[in-house]
Structures are given as C-alpha cells and as structure tokens.
Amino acid sequence: MSIRPSPSRRTFLSLGAGAAASTVWIPRRVHGYTTVEVASRLEDGVGMSKWDLDTPALCVDLDRLERNIATMQAAAKRFGIATRPHAKTHKSADIAKMQLAAGAIGICTAKLGEAEALMAQGVERICMTTSNLSPAKIRRAMQLRKKSAGFIQATDTEENARQLSAAAREGGVTADVVIDVAVGTRSGIPPDEGAVALAKLVDTLPNLKLRGLLSYDGGAQHITGFATRKERTLANIEPNVRVRESMKRAGLNTEIFSGGGTGTYNLQHLVPGFSDIQVGSYVFMDMQYLAIGSEDGNAVYNDFASSLTVVGTVLNNRFPGRLTTDAGAKALTLNVPHAGVIGEPDADYNAGSDEFGVITFKSGGPAKTYKIGDRIEMIVPHCDPVVNLYDVMYGIRNDKVEKVMAVTARGRSQ
Amino acid sequence: MSIRPSPSRRTFLSLGAGAAASTVWIPRRVHGYTTVEVASRLEDGVGMSKWDLDTPALCVDLDRLERNIATMQAAAKRFGIATRPHAKTHKSADIAKMQLAAGAIGICTAKLGEAEALMAQGVERICMTTSNLSPAKIRRAMQLRKKSAGFIQATDTEENARQLSAAAREGGVTADVVIDVAVGTRSGIPPDEGAVALAKLVDTLPNLKLRGLLSYDGGAQHITGFATRKERTLANIEPNVRVRESMKRAGLNTEIFSGGGTGTYNLQHLVPGFSDIQVGSYVFMDMQYLAIGSEDGNAVYNDFASSLTVVGTVLNNRFPGRLTTDAGAKALTLNVPHAGVIGEPDADYNAGSDEFGVITFKSGGPAKTYKIGDRIEMIVPHCDPVVNLYDVMYGIRNDKVEKVMAVTARGRSQ
C-alpha cells in the first residue's frame, strides 16, 4: 500500500485524460445549495452550477456515465459476451436501470440488503453473488425470488444448498441457483471436484434450479499492465474452467459462467464458455482503475472516462505549501492512490484526517492560487466505498446539475 | 502508516484489557434480525442476544459507554476543567444527551450538517468548531443560533467574521463566536498577532459576542507514550497560550479556551487558562487509541474501556490459514491498526476488500475452530469513520440488545 502517486498519475492529471473536466472554473462566490434546495430548484426548473452545491458533494458527469455504459455494452457485443453489471459499485437504482436499458442481462449485488433496496425501487433480474448464511437471510432471499422471477441466488456449501431448497419449498418457489466457485482464496467453494458435487446436489434438490456458476477474480482486476493482467486472469480461472467442463460432462446446466470486472472486461470472453461479465467500476472509474494501464500500452486505463468526482471547498490556505479542504476520510475514504485534484498534477491529496483533506504540492507547486472558499474537484480514489458514504449523487451535465440521484443501497452492508 | 500490529496489540487482545467482552460465545445457529425486526421485538418486550443480529452490526456496550462517560466527567472534575465532548465521533443525539446529562457544558460538531441533525433531535449548547464559509452555510448557522441560545460558532478569518456579523444582524440575533486558532497546520488562524487582531475585530463587530478561542491539537492525540504526548502537547500549544494572554491583556473575553481530545484529556488542564476539553473517542475507544499507552506506563491505553464493536459472520473457512467474513471496508474502513478480533490475539484482520474481511493468523493460529455462519466480533480500528458507515448502532447490555440508537448525523459531511 504505497502512498506515493504512481508514475502515470501526473500524466493523466496533467493531460486531463482521466479528469472529469478539462477546464476548472473556480468562482469567488458560491452559494452552497443543500440537497433539499437542489431538488426544489430542479422541480421549479431553475438551473444551478455544480460549483454552487454545498460541499463535499458527490457528482457524476452524466455524459460520461452514459458514454461509459454504451462503450461497455458495445465492447461486450463485439466480444460475444453479455454484461451483468455489479451494483455494489453504484448502489443506485437509476444507474442499474440505465444498464438494463442499455442491454445488460441482469444486475449483481454483493449483499442481500442491496438486492432488497434495489428491487424495492424496481430493479429486476438481480443476481446475489454472495451466499446468504442465516436462515433469516435465506428466507428473505426467497421472498425476493417470489417477487421477481429473474432473481438468482449464489450458494457455496452443501448445507447452504439444502437450506435454500427448504426455504424455497417453504416459500412455494423454485429458486434459480448458481454455484459460487472461488478464484483465489476469498469466497466461494474451491474449484475442484467438491464444486462439481455441489452443482450436482443443487441439480437434484427440490425447488432449486441450477443455472451455472460464478467465478469472480477480485485479485486480478487491479493488476497493472495489460499483459500481466491477461496472463494471470487466464491462469487463475483455469481450475474453474475445468469445473465447468466437468459440470457440462455430467449433464448439468452451465448456461451462466459469470465473473470478471472492469479490469478484465476485455479478457473474460477468452475464457471457454464464459457467459457474462460483472463489470462495476467502469461507470465511474477512479484513481485505482486509471492506474492499471490499457491494452494499447497507455499508462492510463482510458477505455472508460472518469465520471465520478467530489467537489470540495478550500477551508484554509495560510500554511505554506498546503491547502486544507472540507473533504476528509468521511468524504473520500483512505484508499490509495489518493484522490486526484483536477487541474493540479503536482498535488497530493491526503484524506487521512476524518473531517479535512490536506493538499500538499510536489516540485511544481499549485497551478493556481487558491482563496479560502474556492471550490476544488477531486477524482475519487476508489469509487465503491466513496459512493457508500453519500445519500445522493448529483447528476451533472455541462457543469449544470440535472438531477439528484439517490444512492439507493447506501450503507446496506448486511 | 504501518499495517503491522503494534507490540501492545497482542497484549491487550489476549488479556482482554481492551476487549469488549472477556468471553466470546459463538453459537452454531443464529437468527439474523434486521433493524426493523429488532425494533419491533424490543417494542413487544421480547429480548434477543447481540449474536442474533443480522451482520455486520455496529454494537455499543452500554455499561462500558456509561462508565466511560462517568469516568471522563469525574476526571475532568478532578482536573478542574469542563468537558465539551465532540459529536463527530458518535454522531448520536442519544449519546450527546447522555454526555450533557453527565455534566458536559456543551457539545462540539465539526460540520454544520451534524449540528443541524443533532439540534433537530433536541441536542442543545452546540459549538461548531469549523468555520462556515459559504453565505448559505453562514445563514444556516445563524438559524441554529436563533433556535438555540447556547449555539457557538467558530471563525478564523476577518472576512468570515464580517459575513457572520452581517448574517447575525440579518437574522436578528447576536452570535456567540470563538476564534479558531491553529495548533499545527490544518485549520484555524495561525497563532500570532493576526489571531489577536481577529479577536479584536469580532469583539467590535455588531451582533457578534466574542467568547474566547478554540485550539485543537489533532496531531497530538495519537502520539504513543504518555511522556512524549505530554511534552509535545504542552509545547505545541505555547503560541496559543500567548495569543490568549494577549487577548486577555487587550481586555477581550477568553472564558472559552477549548481543545484537546481523548489522547490529551489528562494534559489540557496543565495549559494556563484552558477551560474545557473536546473529548470524543473516549466513549467508544478503538484500536488506534488503545495503542497509545497510558500515563501509568501501560502499553494499552486503558483509561477508558473499549465499548464499540462490529459483529460479523464467518462466510468461508475453506482456505488454509484464513477466514473470510462479511465485514470489509464498507463495514470497518481501511484504518490502521486493523480491527482487533476479540479472543484471537494472533489474528490480523484485513478489511482491504470492500465487501469482505479476511482474517489471517500469525504463529499461534486461531484460538478456536470456526464454522461457516459463526459470529465473530471486532474492536473497530478507528471509531469516528466506522460509526459514519451505519444508520444505527445497537445498545447492548450483558450481550442482550437493549435499544436501537440512530446514528443521527450519519453521512453529514457537509
């Protein structure tokens, strides 16, 4: 965990390749509208600039968001693979619906609470990628299946599969089930004969319908350099490919063979039988993904545009070589690489203080002079946990606030 | 930022000195009640164990919380100093009211949104320790002053003081104001003649009433070792003491000279004229504070008891030497030292994955065998940002859920 910016950091911040806006307007006087005021102004048809939001404000550039969704969908089509985007990233019913409208075959959630919150807002075809372990959670999952025919539940132990079967019977439903097969050592059943046995069990248990398997390689997503990322992604998943082949030979359903993420979206179609990619961060991008490098050798991973930023305010400029802002760890998390200050390639943004951010400058110093009260805009370090800190994100187009988007499943870590 | 546990870590986890429970009961079968179910059961007078909560669950041991509040209040009385606890830590109206009832002279908030949320729930005598910069925020602060005579607002520039004066006049109030004087280089006006000039200005501006100065030394709170902490705390604040003396000589009001925190609560009374301590974390404690060492030379800072934990569930035990839990960075943050697993002195808890925690074991290995579905309990790494991730914390007594406490100002980073 290095706190020093990677070599590509300066490059993409200075070139604006990863920046959410190529120019930055820093006004002398800003208003500071609250969410309630913004909603009321939008209802009245009164526009406002993103610089006039109260800060810290989580902003998503809608042009870039829409373009990212279209780009991913087009790429998947080219690769002959489907998308099943992961909502753990955005936790937003609005964005999930945009993804489904663009052609996604479903939406993934990591937590049952996320699935419940999103389905309550009309998101269909949800795949729960984590096993639900307690009897209560299993029952809640089966209630989601009852509400929505497209609901799919992962399982990774025989005991859990039996409980699922019992709960499905009790609920009067047939549950669509996928086996969560591990890639690495974090979650899922190890990719060996045990996984095939579990698939066979699911296939025979009453009220369960086997749909296939999940194989998400979390560790591969942020490997820097395309060649290494490709090599490891394909090597890591080999045992899972063998599990799928065994399942197929046993006459089991393998229509779903799902995994991958934004870092490997253009690699998963090389895996035999892979059906769909669980891409998440591509809608927003962040400093972590921008740093992994693209297939064409660019140090900046520029397949998708950085759309998610936090607008903050300069609180203090009176200590040499540093600025204090109102966006600390409660607004930006402690993830590394640190937040990128747009227009300031020499800035290091330290969100190590809970309430305040501290910006220091390397050799070059700041590109401009900051006054107290000036707005400043940051690319987020890691999109998923940052989004989880906010109740709303502001949908921005051409620097104007277009809509208030609820972070539907914010805080749903259960 | 080291990710290796400090030498004291093993000590206090094994001795249970910092642990929230000296024994851990890990049941084979748990229910997994949601917040709604818990509230309904409590209303019906039906008890339940904390182990039966859906996880990850943020829990506060009420005996320890109450004892910590009483201990701090007694210590302050002994030192001849008042307490003005900082609500940025707990963000809870319930706990703020407990602190006021115990004798605190006021409550601090770091953000205007926190002050608004807490005051809406009946918390009085709030001191906003950060300047509000935008005209809208200044007006909102003056609305709080209108609602509550005990409201105090910090300021740290002459321009801001003039705006405050104008807003107070516009709002028809006289605003109680303190000068935020920097200790270190993060926030506030530098501790020199400029600070005295600002105090003089506030004293003369219409509709403002100067009450004194704030001097919070954020950097001193986590210095390991009492002797060093004492030396630096007293050295760091010397310029601020001189500012206060100049203010006094100029006939200005210095009744408030406020700052300090849990790490320096037993040092601030040594500062001439210091009026009150803005202690926050002492109500909960966390791995960061437990590691700083106590005045009597104990490696564990045991002046207060660890009361805040996250109860999680073991999701996976099938990879040698490691366990996967359902509490990742979205449940525990990335702060170091890492979460402490109660009853497992050899465990290292890595919350580096957003959704999952991964526990590995040093030499000794786990103290017991964990099955999938077992509950596990962690002392939080750093209380403030962890609390900010949850909508509620469960008030626990003798391992039973006694009440559901709202995190009133959760997410109020504005």
Side-chain angles (χ1 to χ4, degrees):
Chain A
M1 212 159 74
S2 161
I3 58 160
R4 287 193 312 168
S6 67
S8 62
R9 183 186 177 91
R10 191 178 202 291
T11 315
F12 67 74
L13 286 174
S14 60
L15 296 179
S22 54
T23 58
V24 184
W25 177 65
I26 300 177
R28 284 291 298 136
R29 268 281 163 276
V30 288
H31 188 284
Y33 294 112
T34 64
T35 303
V36 173
E37 289 169 339
V38 171
S40 143
R41 285 177 71 91
L42 290 175
E43 209 170 271
D44 297 346
V46 189
M48 84 217 75
S49 156
K50 72 175 171 186
W51 305 110
D52 272 329
L53 293 168
D54 195 8
T55 65
L58 185 67
C59 294
V60 57
D61 186 280
L62 295 171
D63 282 338
R64 286 168 174 245
L65 171 68
E66 290 161 6
R67 196 167 354 122
N68 287 342
I69 292 172
T71 301
M72 180 61 83
Q73 209 57 38
K77 192 174 180 184
R78 212 162 56 240
F79 299 143
I81 202 165
T83 68
R84 196 187 308 266
H86 215 305
K88 66 182 180 183
T89 300
H90 54 66
K91 290 178 173 270
S92 155
D94 288 346
I95 297 178
K97 288 176 191 171
M98 289 167 72
Q99 291 170 317
L100 288 168
I105 59 166
I107 293 291
C108 295
T109 65
K111 303 282 178 146
L112 183 60
E114 283 174 3
E116 290 172 335
L118 292 173
M119 200 184 283
Q121 295 302 315
V123 177
E124 296 283 339
R125 286 177 277 157
I126 291 175
C127 174
M128 252 302 290
T129 58
T130 315
S131 298
N132 288 308
L133 296 186
S134 70
K137 263 184 163 147
I138 293 171
R139 270 199 298 277
R140 282 160 58 193
M142 290 305 94
Q143 283 163 8
L144 294 186
R145 174 61 188 75
K146 206 161 190 170
K147 279 187 204 153
S148 167
F151 182 77
I152 301 170
Q153 174 62 53
T155 187
D156 64 352
T157 69
E158 299 204 349
E159 186 186 0
N160 186 252
R162 291 183 199 282
Q163 290 175 336
L164 257 179
S165 168
R169 185 146 53 170
E170 186 192 302
V173 294
T174 296
D176 287 48
V177 172
V178 283
I179 312 299
D180 180 17
V181 185
V183 186
T185 58
R186 195 172 61 185
S187 53
I189 187 167
D192 54 27
E193 62 285 351
V196 182
L198 175 59
K200 283 180 184 163
L201 178 69
V202 167
D203 191 51
T204 58
L205 283 170
N207 294 73
L208 299 188
K209 183 183 174 194
L210 179 68
R211 297 288 304 277
L213 67 160
L214 307 183
S215 292
Y216 174 63
D217 188 357
Q221 300 308 316
H222 290 92
I223 295 172
T224 302
F226 183 77
T228 316
R229 196 155 69 243
K230 178 175 180 179
E231 186 188 305
R232 292 226 223 132
T233 297
L234 299 181
N236 292 349
I237 207 161
E238 265 182 35
N240 303 57
V241 171
R242 286 196 294 272
V243 166
R244 178 181 171 274
E245 281 163 2
S246 297
M247 285 171 61
K248 218 170 152 60
R249 273 197 306 273
L252 299 171
N253 186 2
T254 58
E255 63 177 304
I256 295 177
F257 187 15
S258 173
T262 296
T264 63
Y265 83 102
N266 52 358
L267 292 168
Q268 302 294 155
H269 65 286
L270 303 174
V271 178
F274 222 73
S275 61
D276 59 84
I277 45 178
Q278 299 172 5
V279 286
S281 301
Y282 75 102
V283 293
F284 297 142
M285 298 301 287
D286 54 29
M287 295 298 284
Q288 290 188 347
Y289 265 123
L290 288 168
I292 70 170
S294 66
E295 183 172 1
D296 60 11
N298 196 319
V300 180
Y301 191 44
N302 56 8
D303 295 27
F304 305 95
S306 168
S307 69
L308 190 74
T309 57
V310 168
V311 174
T313 297
V314 175
L315 297 185
N316 209 316
N317 64 357
R318 285 164 302 184
F319 302 101
R322 51 174 56 210
L323 298 169
T324 303
T325 78
D326 60 353
K330 289 179 185 170
L332 280 167
T333 78
L334 293 179
N335 280 275
V336 286
H338 291 165
V341 183
I342 294 178
E344 291 292 355
D346 281 325
D348 179 53
Y349 195 102
N350 184 345
S353 162
D354 294 333
E355 318 294 342
F356 304 107
V358 172
I359 304 176
T360 50
F361 294 92
K362 294 190 297 293
S363 53
K368 58 182 77 67
T369 305
Y370 291 91
K371 298 185 187 66
I372 292 174
D374 278 352
R375 293 295 197 256
I376 196 158
E377 187 171 21
M378 281 72 67
I379 300 175
V380 307
H382 178 29
C383 52
D384 305 49
V386 169
V387 168
N388 190 47
L389 295 170
Y390 292 85
D391 290 314
V392 300
M393 53 186 121
Y394 295 102
I396 308 293
R397 207 181 300 273
N398 297 323
D399 283 3
K400 293 266 176 271
V401 182
E402 185 172 300
K403 54 182 171 179
V404 179
M405 298 157 78
V407 182
T408 318
R410 196 267 326 141
R412 296 297 193 110
S413 61
Q414 294 186 328
Chain B
M1 214 159 68
S2 162
I3 58 160
R4 286 193 310 167
S6 67
S8 63
R9 182 187 178 91
R10 192 180 199 291
T11 316
F12 66 76
L13 286 175
S14 59
L15 297 179
S22 54
T23 58
V24 184
W25 177 65
I26 300 178
R28 283 291 297 133
R29 266 285 161 273
V30 289
H31 190 284
Y33 294 112
T34 63
T35 304
V36 173
E37 289 167 340
V38 171
S40 143
R41 285 177 71 90
L42 290 176
E43 210 170 270
D44 296 346
V46 188
M48 84 217 76
S49 155
K50 73 175 172 187
W51 306 110
D52 271 329
L53 293 167
D54 195 9
T55 64
L58 185 67
C59 294
V60 58
D61 185 280
L62 294 171
D63 283 338
R64 286 167 175 247
L65 172 68
E66 290 161 8
R67 195 165 357 122
N68 287 342
I69 292 172
T71 301
M72 180 61 83
Q73 209 58 39
K77 192 174 179 184
R78 211 163 57 240
F79 299 142
I81 200 166
T83 67
R84 196 187 307 266
H86 215 305
K88 67 183 180 183
T89 299
H90 54 66
K91 289 179 173 268
S92 155
D94 288 346
I95 297 178
K97 288 176 192 172
M98 289 166 72
Q99 292 170 316
L100 288 167
I105 59 167
I107 293 292
C108 295
T109 65
K111 303 282 179 144
L112 182 61
E114 283 175 1
E116 290 172 334
L118 293 173
M119 200 183 284
Q121 295 303 314
V123 176
E124 295 284 339
R125 286 177 278 159
I126 291 174
C127 174
M128 252 303 290
T129 58
T130 314
S131 299
N132 288 308
L133 295 186
S134 69
K137 263 184 163 147
I138 292 171
R139 270 198 299 277
R140 283 160 58 193
M142 289 305 95
Q143 282 161 10
L144 294 187
R145 174 61 188 78
K146 207 160 188 170
K147 280 186 204 156
S148 167
F151 183 78
I152 302 170
Q153 174 62 52
T155 187
D156 64 350
T157 69
E158 299 204 347
E159 184 185 2
N160 185 254
R162 290 182 200 283
Q163 290 175 337
L164 257 179
S165 168
R169 181 145 56 170
E170 185 191 301
V173 294
T174 296
D176 287 49
V177 172
V178 283
I179 311 301
D180 181 17
V181 185
V183 186
T185 56
R186 195 171 63 184
S187 53
I189 187 167
D192 54 26
E193 63 285 351
V196 182
L198 175 59
K200 283 180 185 161
L201 178 68
V202 167
D203 190 52
T204 57
L205 282 171
N207 294 75
L208 299 188
K209 182 184 174 194
L210 179 68
R211 296 288 303 277
L213 67 160
L214 306 183
S215 292
Y216 175 63
D217 187 358
Q221 300 307 317
H222 289 92
I223 295 173
T224 302
F226 182 78
T228 316
R229 197 156 67 243
K230 178 175 179 178
E231 186 189 305
R232 292 226 223 131
T233 297
L234 298 181
N236 291 349
I237 206 163
E238 265 181 34
N240 303 56
V241 171
R242 286 196 294 273
V243 165
R244 177 179 171 275
E245 282 162 1
S246 296
M247 284 171 62
K248 220 171 150 61
R249 272 197 305 275
L252 300 172
N253 187 2
T254 57
E255 62 177 304
I256 295 177
F257 186 16
S258 175
T262 296
T264 63
Y265 84 103
N266 51 359
L267 292 168
Q268 302 294 155
H269 65 287
L270 303 174
V271 178
F274 221 73
S275 61
D276 60 83
I277 46 179
Q278 300 172 4
V279 285
S281 302
Y282 75 102
V283 294
F284 297 141
M285 296 301 287
D286 55 28
M287 295 297 285
Q288 291 189 345
Y289 265 122
L290 288 168
I292 70 169
S294 66
E295 183 172 3
D296 61 11
N298 197 319
V300 180
Y301 191 46
N302 55 8
D303 296 26
F304 306 95
S306 168
S307 70
L308 190 74
T309 58
V310 168
V311 174
T313 297
V314 174
L315 297 185
N316 209 317
N317 64 357
R318 285 164 301 185
F319 302 101
R322 51 175 55 210
L323 298 169
T324 305
T325 79
D326 61 352
K330 288 179 184 169
L332 279 167
T333 77
L334 293 179
N335 281 273
V336 287
H338 290 166
V341 183
I342 294 178
E344 292 291 355
D346 281 325
D348 179 54
Y349 196 103
N350 184 345
S353 161
D354 295 334
E355 317 294 342
F356 304 108
V358 173
I359 304 177
T360 50
F361 295 92
K362 294 190 295 292
S363 53
K368 56 182 79 66
T369 305
Y370 292 92
K371 298 186 188 67
I372 292 174
D374 278 351
R375 292 295 196 256
I376 198 160
E377 187 172 20
M378 281 73 67
I379 300 175
V380 307
H382 177 30
C383 52
D384 305 49
V386 170
V387 169
N388 190 47
L389 295 171
Y390 293 84
D391 290 315
V392 300
M393 53 186 120
Y394 295 102
I396 309 292
R397 205 181 303 272
N398 299 323
D399 282 3
K400 294 267 175 267
V401 181
E402 185 172 301
K403 54 181 172 179
V404 179
M405 299 157 78
V407 182
T408 319
R410 196 268 325 140
R412 296 299 191 110
S413 61
Q414 294 186 327

